[in-house]
Amino acid sequence: MNKDNPIGIFDSGIGGLTVAKAIRSLLPHESLLYFGDTKHLPYGEKSVHAIQEFSKNIALFLKQKNCKMIVIACNTASSVAYETIKNECPNIEIVNVIDPIVKRITTSNDTKTIGVIGTKRTINSDVYPQKIKSINQNISVKSLATPLLASMIEEGFFNDKISQAIVHNYLKDPALEGIDKLILACTHYPLIHEVIRDFYPQEIDIIDSASQVALHIKDVLTDKQLLANQSQKHRFYVTDYALSFEKSAKFFFGEDIHLEEVSSIH
Ligand code: DGL
């Protein structure tokens, strides 16, 4: 495998850009190939089988593009399609966004009651409580599905009155009472980090996958001697072009991006 081959990163839409951005700032020599499956957004409402099929096809596309690693920058796909992708691409490093977070939570001594918010599919999969409890039985996990948030963000509502009203309505749910940390178990949610933080009167540790996953990727690439020497241009693909995506992507990735539409992978 050539070290200078790109890292493939995919999500249903714009959310995985939070992960791409963290990778770019930690590993500036890496070339990124980003894939947003906008045609099938939101993944959180789809069946397990459908998400596995979408993910498999994207992984094959990224493999054809010679990616040296595939980052599943989506909690929903990470929770139900990680094994599918690993089986499909046995010779490529596959990284999900859940394990690095579980590791961080279970290795810190101060976590007692942790909240998890994510899409319906992620929360119904029970993946966070299962993984956390398999390592540390003493941590209590309180989960809540917050299905409107990803679509709300995708539509451009980040830090305004609308997002505030919806976020507050979810976070006041008794299901999340008494938490001392909150996992943002959807890669879209760092984009509304401030609104979430503002809900809590007390200091609360809000954990998102982006920087944690980037650190994990650095470790894997170092270990496999796959760190790139020189970056090529980053590339961005979507399955359904939308101007709003291009604008938001520019805003969140912090540089001009050109979206290429691919329609033939599904
Ligand atoms: N960004 C995604 C996640 O982390 C998916 C949101 C969606 O498409 O429903 O789960």
Side-chain angles (χ1 to χ4, degrees), residues 11-12 15 41-44 73-76 119 122 150 185-188:
D11 180 36
S12 57
L41 178 98
Y43 274 13
C74 169
N75 280 262
T76 311
T119 67
T122 299
C186 174
T187 51
H188 281 72

Side-chain angles (χ1 to χ4, degrees), residues 10-264:
F10 84 88
D11 180 36
S12 57
I14 201 174
L17 283 172
T18 57
V19 178
K21 195 175 173 195
I23 300 172
R24 187 192 56 183
S25 51
L26 188 68
L27 300 166
H29 296 305
E30 298 297 332
S31 310
L32 309 180
L33 198 161
Y34 188 84
F35 193 103
D37 191 10
T38 43
K39 190 168 157 189
H40 299 110
L41 178 98
Y43 274 13
E45 304 294 309
K46 304 291 184 304
S47 69
V48 170
H49 177 71
I51 297 164
Q52 288 172 342
E53 280 301 298
F54 303 153
S55 303
K56 187 175 90 184
N57 291 330
I58 296 168
L60 291 175
F61 174 84
L62 297 174
K63 185 174 159 183
Q64 272 169 20
K65 295 278 179 195
N66 293 322
C67 290
K68 63 180 174 185
M69 171 184 264
I70 295 176
V71 181
I72 312 171
C74 169
N75 280 262
T76 311
S78 293
S79 64
V80 300
Y82 178 48
E83 295 301 327
T84 311
I85 296 176
K86 279 211 310 196
N87 291 337
E88 211 59 48
C89 307
N91 301 319
I92 304 178
E93 293 299 323
I94 312 293
V95 170
N96 70 64
V97 287
I98 297 172
D99 290 330
I101 293 297
V102 169
K103 189 171 168 202
R104 169 167 166 195
I105 298 300
T106 50
T107 47
S108 86
N109 294 326
D110 60 340
T111 313
K112 291 183 205 79
T113 306
I114 189 144
V116 183
I117 54 172
T119 67
K120 276 189 206 160
R121 184 57 58 210
T122 299
I123 298 303
N124 290 345
S125 76
D126 219 27
V127 63
Y128 277 93
Q130 280 177 17
K131 288 196 178 214
I132 291 171
K133 293 231 168 246
S134 72
I135 301 172
N136 187 339
Q137 293 276 358
N138 298 323
I139 299 174
S140 150
V141 185
K142 296 188 164 191
S143 311
L144 181 74
T146 48
L148 284 180
L149 299 186
S151 304
M152 174 190 91
I153 293 163
E154 206 68 38
E155 285 301 317
F157 297 102
F158 309 126
N159 292 316
D160 57 0
K161 289 221 159 70
I162 294 174
S163 50
Q164 194 182 46
I166 297 174
V167 165
H168 284 213
N169 210 55
Y170 278 133
L171 295 181
K172 70 178 193 223
D173 193 295
L176 293 176
E177 233 167 59
I179 58 170
D180 46 57
K181 288 186 182 169
L182 180 66
I183 299 176
L184 307 186
C186 174
T187 51
H188 281 72
Y189 299 176
L191 304 177
I192 49 165
H193 189 284
E194 276 173 39
V195 180
I196 294 173
R197 195 198 48 217
D198 286 350
F199 170 81
Y200 291 99
Q202 78 281 24
E203 194 62 38
I204 174 163
D205 195 3
I206 299 169
I207 301 160
D208 72 62
S209 22
S211 50
Q212 212 58 35
V213 171
L215 286 169
H216 175 68
I217 288 168
K218 186 177 180 189
D219 285 349
V220 176
L221 292 177
T222 308
D223 190 46
K224 304 280 173 193
Q225 303 194 324
L226 278 176
L227 280 170
N229 294 321
Q230 67 187 96
S231 167
Q232 281 99 47
K233 220 171 159 320
H234 305 312
R235 301 190 74 167
F236 299 84
Y237 295 91
V238 285
T239 42
D240 192 18
Y241 178 82
L243 187 61
S244 61
F245 182 102
E246 196 165 54
K247 277 193 185 149
S248 302
K250 229 176 258 176
F251 180 64
F252 286 108
F253 197 65
E255 65 182 60
D256 266 356
I257 65 157
H258 167 65
L259 282 186
E260 296 172 54
E261 187 177 88
V262 274
S263 45
S264 58

